[in-house]
Amino acid sequence: MNDRLLSLVDGVVDLDEPRLPLLTLREAQAAIELLRLLAAGNGEGAHAARHLARSLVRRLPSEQ
């Protein structure tokens, strides 16, 4: 399952598709925190969660 999750995450990052505005900034920040909690463990999907969290953080506006 971890390989499947990682391939899904990699596919999202690698594709040059139009992005849809589906989240507010606060929702995105909350999702990233939840991904970081999942990534902190050793469970299935932790590596994919770290990868996706890093990808999402790069797209957030920098805090002033």
Side-chain angles (χ1 to χ4, degrees), residues 20-32 56 59-61:
L20 302 175
L22 298 176
L23 299 173
T24 66
L25 177 58
R26 287 178 61 146
E27 289 169 329
Q29 291 168 332
I32 289 167
L56 294 175
R59 293 182 13 226
L60 289 181

Side-chain angles (χ1 to χ4, degrees), residues 4-58:
R4 184 183 70 79
L5 286 172
L6 190 54
S7 69
L8 286 171
V9 170
D10 283 339
V12 169
V13 172
D14 294 338
L15 293 177
D16 190 22
E17 295 180 309
R19 300 200 186 271
L20 302 175
L22 298 176
L23 299 173
T24 66
L25 177 58
R26 287 178 61 146
E27 289 169 329
Q29 291 168 332
I32 289 167
E33 287 304 314
L34 288 171
L35 285 167
R36 286 179 174 159
L37 283 174
L38 177 61
N42 293 324
E44 197 168 333
H47 181 71
R50 282 190 295 276
H51 192 71
L52 184 55
R54 284 191 305 263
S55 174
L56 294 175
V57 165
R58 286 193 306 268

